[in-house]
Amino acid sequence: MSTEEQLKDERRGKAGKMRDLGIDPYGGRYENILSTAAVRERADGLDLTAGDIRTDERARVAGRIVLQRVMGNLVFLTIRDGSGDLQFALSKKNVRDDWPAIKLLDLGDHIGCDGSLGMTKTGELTLWADTFTMLSKAIHPPPSKWHGLSDVELRYRHRYVDLFANPPVRDVFRQRSLIIQAVRDYLIGCDYIEVETPALQPIYGGAAAKPFTTHHNALDIKLYMRISPELYLKRLLVGGMERVFEVSRNFRNEGISTKHNPEFTMVELYEAYGDYNVMMERVEGMTSLAIERLGGGFKRPYGEVEIDYSVPWRRCKYGDLLLEHAGVSMSDAQAVRKKADELGIDHTKMADAVVVNVVFEQTVEDHLVQPTFVYDYPAALCPLTRRHPEDENIALRFEVYVNRMELGNAYTELNDPAVQEANFREQLAGEGDTMAIMDEDFVLALEYGMPPAGGLGVGLDRLVMLLTNSQSIRDVILFPLQRARRATEV
RNA sequence: GGGGGCGUAGCUCAGUCGGUAGAGCAUCGGCCUUUUAAGCCGCUGGUCACAGGUUCAAGUCCUGUCGCCCCUACCA
């Protein structure tokens, strides 16, 4: 008996035998349970010694069987719940009438037991059970009890197996929750309010990316999945909501890589009467609080390098970095194009600003390992950004890089409706996608008057990657996009 | 889009020069009341991703398809 169907039939048969014994193999409500972590905490105060069984220290614990050691009329089970593992001991003498059902248990089943806390001869904290409750029969056998699940395709396609078979995976997602909560708490502490804006948009904007398109049947209109919440959040500034943020799932119909998933999560925020310098402090502030909540300090490993998140982070002008690493001035179009030739870039159909940016990406980005704010971008690339008061060709924008990866993007927001409208109408040559798609209602909103403001977007998946030392965005997204396969396969 | 790699039992993996499809764990049957991946004895279990081709003979070589991973390009 060993093909998958045979293994499952064996387990189905055991579920049937449990029913014959009057036991529902799928259990029901089970109350007053202690987590395995809580049991450990309690045991720490009991001063147990090897061989103790404390009949006065009772506990009820539930979880999944991940290891099973049967020694005749005594069974040791390793039970896993959301907080960790704990050993159960079930002896025929103690559980009496339940013994026949216990012999029908398999790896992967969920059970619950009441028992006395104790410690075995070898010093292992153990729940010595005297009652037994069947909570769920696993029909599909779990992966290797020792190696877990290592096939990456199966790990992503069947993440639920990955999560219970590979405990470090679950910890990454616990940390993800802590990080996102820290970001929320930080912003709430700065007097922001959290809002929700449309994910289905008739006009997409706020970023340069291809959208997913869909259709609303009742209204018979074309809709786009948002690529960014930017233009809606800025409308809220017009409405007098002076500090707003949204944890926004964005959808971009682009390539997939270790740093890109078609749907990803950003926190985007706008602060009236602020500017991009304030936004730098917001990035530092939310990251610092997340690190404090996670523990582990501000110097953290990422792959082969150590990243130092101590504030303040390095602040560098875009133009200075370009001069340092490419040896050309961002305002000298001829020199930039000559450099592009050296780099083998075909720039004949690109606007000057686009060439500058391609050269920047190829020469500078590799040097941006430690957290760095790169600020004052070529204005032509930034249709939603306010111009530098002393140089029309510079936009008050920064991107923040960590480990060569863009973590966030911020502006001193453009609030002049005439300039905004002109920017929307200008199409930049050589840019595949543009963030300058005319949104007349947004221009109208600016005409009513938007306060000067700073705005920021931070890629939360990438922040989680960095802080949890995860090398792929798929390792921090529970169900990363995979090509669909028929349910009968894999 | 381009390049490279991978796909063998439920899981983790071997498989040499092309010559009978293998191991551990799990399962199944025995023994076993203090184990720690329990142990011991015994037995099962395969569309070698899929479809073709070369060959006396293909898991192995060739072509195509599907899926996944990495690099690269685009992007955030």
Side-chain angles (χ1 to χ4, degrees):
Chain A
M1 297 286 276
S2 176
T3 68
E4 187 173 335
E5 257 328 291
Q6 288 169 331
L7 291 168
K8 287 161 76 170
D9 276 344
E10 195 69 44
R11 286 162 177 257
R12 290 188 190 102
K14 289 177 180 176
K17 285 179 185 169
M18 285 181 176
R19 289 195 177 92
D20 293 343
L21 291 167
I23 292 172
D24 180 353
Y26 292 102
R29 185 168 179 172
Y30 194 60
E31 294 180 279
N32 303 319
I33 57 177
L34 273 182
S35 70
T36 60
V39 169
R40 279 188 192 287
E41 203 172 311
R42 204 166 110 192
D44 283 344
L46 290 182
D47 198 28
L48 293 167
T49 56
D52 278 355
I53 299 179
R54 294 283 295 273
T55 52
D56 56 326
E57 290 291 341
R58 305 280 302 164
R60 167 176 280 192
V61 181
R64 184 191 291 273
I65 301 172
V66 293
L67 292 172
Q68 183 172 223
R69 295 173 289 281
V70 182
M71 14 248 333
N73 293 319
L74 174 64
V75 178
F76 290 101
L77 302 175
T78 301
I79 298 297
R80 177 168 298 163
D81 71 2
S83 68
D85 293 356
L86 180 69
Q87 176 165 273
F88 285 14
L90 291 77
S91 81
K92 185 178 182 180
K93 201 168 70 183
N94 288 347
V95 300
R96 296 166 182 278
D97 294 346
D98 287 328
W99 187 250
I102 287 163
K103 293 180 80 173
L104 296 170
L105 292 176
D106 283 302
L107 295 178
D109 292 354
H110 285 81
I111 67 165
C113 286
D114 293 289
S116 305
L117 294 184
M119 195 170 265
T120 61
K121 284 178 184 171
T122 52
E124 179 80 18
L125 178 63
T126 298
L127 184 76
W128 290 89
D130 38 53
T131 75
F132 157 83
T133 303
M134 191 63 199
L135 296 174
S136 183
K137 184 71 196 170
I139 298 304
H140 200 292
S144 164
K145 63 186 183 185
W146 183 242
H147 298 95
L149 187 65
S150 65
D151 181 311
V152 282
E153 182 177 354
L154 296 183
R155 286 185 48 223
Y156 295 147
R157 286 191 189 282
H158 306 298
R159 180 69 91 182
Y160 41 90
V161 181
D162 190 29
L163 286 165
F164 75 72
N166 302 326
V169 174
R170 224 167 40 190
D171 195 53
V172 166
F173 290 101
R174 185 188 62 82
Q175 292 182 75
R176 180 181 171 117
S177 171
L178 288 177
I179 291 164
I180 293 175
Q181 191 59 42
V183 168
R184 282 197 161 98
D185 289 348
Y186 170 76
L187 291 171
I188 296 289
C190 295
D191 295 323
Y192 278 74
I193 65 170
E194 181 168 5
V195 298
E196 293 176 272
T197 64
L200 291 172
Q201 304 178 345
I203 301 170
Y204 63 94
K210 294 183 187 66
F212 289 92
T213 63
T214 185
H215 181 261
H216 188 270
N217 291 339
L219 297 181
D220 191 24
I221 54 171
K222 188 176 188 180
L223 289 170
Y224 302 94
M225 305 292 287
R226 69 173 157 208
I227 58 173
S228 158
E230 173 155 354
L231 300 184
Y232 284 94
L233 291 170
K234 284 187 188 169
R235 284 173 168 95
L236 299 180
L237 292 177
V238 173
M241 301 178 80
E242 294 177 335
R243 295 188 179 198
V244 293
F245 76 95
E246 178 165 14
V247 176
S248 169
R249 187 76 61 87
N250 297 337
F251 305 86
R252 297 188 185 176
N253 208 336
E254 310 272 356
I256 296 174
S257 80
T258 50
K259 299 181 179 67
H260 301 83
N261 194 62
E263 54 180 300
F264 66 103
T265 305
M266 291 192 72
V267 61
E268 191 143 332
L269 50 118
Y270 291 86
E271 181 168 333
Y273 314 115
D275 66 4
Y276 68 162
N277 292 300
V278 175
M279 294 299 109
M280 292 184 199
E281 293 171 28
R282 297 293 177 237
V283 176
E284 291 170 335
M286 66 176 66
T287 305
S288 295
L289 185 60
I291 288 170
E292 285 168 24
R293 297 269 176 90
L294 290 178
F298 280 72
K299 292 181 179 175
R300 310 177 73 87
Y302 189 77
E304 302 297 310
V305 300
E306 183 180 75
I307 308 286
D308 185 354
Y309 294 95
S310 307
V311 297
W313 296 356
R314 190 163 72 125
R315 286 153 164 78
C316 298
K317 279 190 181 175
Y318 185 99
D320 292 348
L321 287 169
L322 194 70
L323 199 58
E324 180 183 347
H325 296 290
V328 295
S329 164
M330 64 188 283
S331 57
D332 185 344
Q334 275 196 320
V336 170
R337 286 186 185 273
K338 194 172 162 223
K339 183 69 187 177
D341 282 332
E342 288 173 29
L343 294 168
I345 298 164
D346 177 14
H347 55 84
T348 49
K349 291 176 183 167
M350 294 178 184
D352 288 347
V354 177
V355 184
V356 170
N357 206 43
V358 174
V359 170
F360 181 91
E361 284 167 3
Q362 292 210 5
T363 57
V364 180
E365 277 191 2
D366 275 354
H367 301 279
L368 303 176
V369 176
Q370 295 301 320
T372 305
F373 295 106
V374 179
Y375 67 98
D376 288 359
Y377 270 66
L381 295 171
C382 315
L384 303 166
T385 312
R386 189 183 189 107
R387 275 28 182 170
H388 195 290
E390 290 161 17
D391 187 345
E392 275 294 294
N393 296 312
I394 300 286
L396 300 175
R397 170 186 186 179
F398 75 75
E399 292 197 348
V400 55
Y401 282 85
V402 181
N403 198 54
R404 307 176 188 88
M405 181 165 72
E406 188 191 332
L407 177 63
N409 181 24
Y411 312 142
T412 296
E413 300 297 340
L414 175 59
N415 63 343
D416 180 332
V419 175
Q420 182 65 79
E421 182 167 9
N423 289 350
F424 273 151
R425 295 196 185 285
E426 189 178 340
Q427 289 291 325
L428 212 51
E431 227 187 8
D433 303 300
T434 175
M435 61 175 86
I437 291 174
M438 172 59 75
D439 185 332
E440 289 176 1
D441 182 73
F442 179 67
V443 174
L444 176 62
L446 294 190
E447 287 176 348
Y448 275 100
M450 186 182 95
L456 165 69
V458 172
L460 290 178
D461 310 287
R462 289 182 175 182
L463 182 61
V464 175
M465 284 174 70
L466 290 164
L467 296 185
T468 61
N469 195 8
S470 299
Q471 304 304 308
S472 170
I473 200 168
R474 294 182 207 96
D475 293 327
V476 301
I477 291 176
L478 280 167
F479 299 99
L481 185 67
Q482 300 280 96
R483 199 178 293 268
R485 306 186 72 170
R486 280 176 303 164
T488 51
E489 295 180 36
V490 180

